[in-house]
Amino acid sequence: MPDCENGPVLVQRKPFVDERGVFTRIFCAEALAEIGWPGPVAQINHSRTSRAGTLRGMHYQRPPHAEAKLVVCIRGAVHDVAVDIRRDSPSRHAHVGVELSADAGTAILIPEGFAHGFQALTDDVELIYIHSVAYNQQHETGLRHDDPALGIAWPLPVTGLSARDAAHPVIAAAGQFS
Ligand SMILES: Cc1cn([C@H]2C[C@H](O)[C@@H](COP(=O)(O)OP(=O)(O)O[C@H]3O[C@H](C)C(=O)[C@H](O)[C@H]3O)O2)c(=O)[nH]c1=O
């Protein structure tokens, strides 16, 4: 996966295991700055998703509240997708999809200019989101997970979706979007 200024970066946690259990670093500003983390942590969120097949996304915040986020899977497994929505990008509307799981210790750094979503591959999924910009409801928007212009192949039938996520516009109808 390319370096952060060009797109999302998969981050591998290194567990320290001993007879007591496991210690894992979740976030290191110095290490992540080397792959494009832009600055101070503005907000940390946590979501729990009960059933496999549930889909959350595709979310992003419009400028000037565009955000980078580190998405960390701490329970279960997800198919995680980031869509390039940068106006000047040669890969605009392209996406990357990766599996994140607690067992594999994987996370993904998603830079500004990308919409984010995931599908739970197991029941009882928990994610931690570390954001470079605080939530701003007026500037938060999204894309349809099933937009033909994006062509995202989700591994499971979508069995759970919020009304808000089901109501995002498709790109053809929405025209240009930031
Ligand atoms: C992020 C956030 C949300 N909210 C409120 C807004 C909604 O009423 C409720 C649930 O938010 P939302 O439906 O956006 O939650 P998800 O659909 O799980 O969105 C999350 O998963 C997708 C994949 C992401 O990429 C988002 O960054 C992340 O927020 O919490 C707040 O009050 N403060 C906050 O900081």
Side-chain angles (χ1 to χ4, degrees):
M1 202 177 281
D3 199 1
C4 199
E5 61 268 20
N6 299 320
V9 180
L10 192 67
V11 178
Q12 177 69 57
R13 299 193 293 280
K14 178 175 178 281
F16 296 91
V17 182
D18 64 20
E19 67 285 349
R20 300 166 300 167
V22 183
F23 175 90
T24 308
R25 177 191 292 177
I26 294 288
F27 179 91
C28 173
E30 186 178 328
L32 290 175
E34 292 173 12
I35 57 170
W37 180 263
V41 172
Q43 191 164 321
I44 299 177
N45 296 324
H46 168 243
S47 74
R48 188 173 71 235
T49 302
S50 304
R51 287 183 303 279
T54 303
L55 195 149
R56 296 176 184 257
M58 311 299 290
H59 298 173
Y60 66 98
Q61 294 195 158
R62 289 190 298 266
H65 300 271
E67 58 183 338
K69 63 179 85 166
L70 181 73
V71 180
V72 185
C73 183
I74 60 169
R75 182 191 296 269
V78 301
H79 181 68
D80 202 83
V81 174
V83 177
D84 188 349
I85 56 173
R86 296 169 296 183
R87 285 188 181 283
D88 58 350
S89 171
S91 58
R92 182 171 164 85
H93 299 173
H95 69 275
V96 292
V98 293
E99 180 171 323
L100 303 179
S101 74
D103 290 347
T106 39
I108 185 169
L109 198 166
I110 300 174
E112 294 178 16
F114 284 77
H116 172 250
F118 72 88
Q119 182 176 42
L121 299 177
T122 62
D123 293 342
D124 298 329
V125 160
E126 291 192 62
L127 296 188
I128 297 288
Y129 310 82
I130 300 171
H131 296 259
S132 66
V133 170
Y135 176 69
N136 183 291
Q137 189 174 20
Q138 289 68 39
H139 286 76
E140 209 238 0
T141 186
L143 304 176
R144 280 277 294 279
H145 71 284
D146 57 353
D147 191 325
L150 303 179
I152 302 170
W154 298 99
L156 303 175
V158 176
T159 54
L161 190 70
S162 69
R164 185 169 66 93
D165 283 345
H168 294 311
V170 291
I171 291 168
Q176 291 306 309
F177 55 84
S178 59

